[in-house]
Amino acid sequence: MTSPSRAAAVAALLLVGAVACSDNSEDEKPTSAAADDTTGGSAAARIEAVNKTMRTTAFSAVGTSTVYDGALQSMTWNPQQGLRIEVSGTIGGNMYCRDGVTYISSSLFAESLKQQGQVITVPAGLDDVYVTTKSGQGCDAYFALSPTGSYAPSDDTTVNGTPARAVKVSASASATDTYYVSAKGPAYLLKLKSTRDGRTSSTTYVDFGKKKTITLPGADKTMTMDAFRARTGS
């Protein structure tokens, strides 16, 4: 059986997407990693460069999902303030991450558990609460490329006019991710296409270096995993 914390992570790790910057965004100068042109070398070297750039550069993303049918998911990353994922459509909810702590709205958390075969009922008094879990890893884990990826030249393409190299990761015959990374510097992740048991999704990443403000839920709106499970009887 999948643990509640793992189910919460799965909800975010399988997301897809790209969104335009807001009016109050401010430009951020690319980091030295973003400025490097690491077009040559192995796929592992390119993956490392892309992960370093994405970890230190603000960006936005939006797209469909292999987890929630008919849902739209948007992501905002601010290296200083953390990560936000918003789910809308057939279901709604938000997830935040900062300093290795994940905050997932109770409705989205319940739906995540349902997708993993565990059904819980959220009491009315907890419908606006965020459940917190410690992942033990950085928030960039939600968008980082796997170091096991390899180039797939036949899938190379352009994303919004930018030449992109395809990096493919296959966990199984029914679970495949194809990452499209910039063929030239800066080393950005431009797009992600995923397949999970016949479901497909597509995410595009944009607005690199344009910061948005991310505000975590207040302490009065958060609850630890143990406390939430006690209240819901799960």
Side-chain angles (χ1 to χ4, degrees):
M1 177 178 292
T2 304
S3 69
S5 58
R6 173 58 180 164
V10 168
L13 285 170
L14 297 184
L15 87 67
V16 291
V19 294
C21 64
S22 61
D23 292 337
N24 62 353
S25 298
E26 63 179 13
D27 291 342
E28 176 186 64
K29 293 182 180 180
T31 63
S32 57
D36 289 342
D37 185 353
T38 53
T39 56
S42 66
R46 190 59 174 168
I47 289 171
E48 182 179 0
V50 169
N51 283 342
K52 184 176 182 179
T53 302
M54 298 296 285
R55 183 172 59 250
T56 56
T57 305
F59 64 81
S60 298
V62 72
T64 52
S65 171
T66 58
V67 179
Y68 309 115
D69 286 333
L72 182 70
Q73 298 189 78
S74 61
M75 174 191 288
T76 303
W77 168 244
N78 181 322
Q80 286 73 47
Q81 298 179 340
L83 177 77
R84 180 189 179 191
I85 297 174
E86 180 180 8
V87 180
S88 59
T90 54
I91 64 170
N94 292 284
M95 191 215 79
Y96 296 85
C97 180
R98 184 171 181 176
D99 298 330
V101 178
T102 296
Y103 306 72
I104 185 168
S105 59
S106 57
S107 59
L108 189 59
F109 181 60
E111 184 64 25
S112 301
L113 290 179
K114 182 179 179 180
Q115 295 292 329
Q116 301 300 312
Q118 302 179 55
V119 179
I120 66 171
T121 299
V122 179
L126 300 183
D127 53 8
D128 62 346
V129 163
Y130 284 79
V131 183
T132 64
T133 61
K134 293 182 179 181
S135 66
Q137 56 188 348
C139 298
D140 59 308
Y142 290 110
F143 53 81
L145 283 69
S146 168
T148 63
S150 58
Y151 283 134
S154 62
D155 291 330
D156 289 352
T157 185
T158 60
V159 179
N160 293 330
T162 300
R165 299 197 67 177
V167 176
K168 186 164 291 187
V169 178
S170 297
S172 67
S174 62
T176 301
D177 295 316
T178 302
Y179 298 88
Y180 297 90
V181 302
S182 55
K184 299 179 180 180
Y188 289 139
L189 170 60
L190 303 175
K191 192 170 187 176
L192 166 63
K193 288 187 176 181
S194 298
T195 300
R196 296 288 185 279
D197 298 321
R199 297 181 179 182
T200 60
S201 65
S202 179
T203 307
T204 305
Y205 297 77
V206 296
D207 294 336
F208 301 106
K210 297 181 179 180
K211 290 183 179 179
K212 293 183 180 180
T213 299
I214 297 177
T215 304
L216 298 179
D220 60 332
K221 294 295 184 181
T222 64
M223 179 176 290
T224 65
M225 177 69 69
D226 288 342
F228 183 77
R229 294 179 68 182
R231 289 286 298 276
T232 59
S234 59

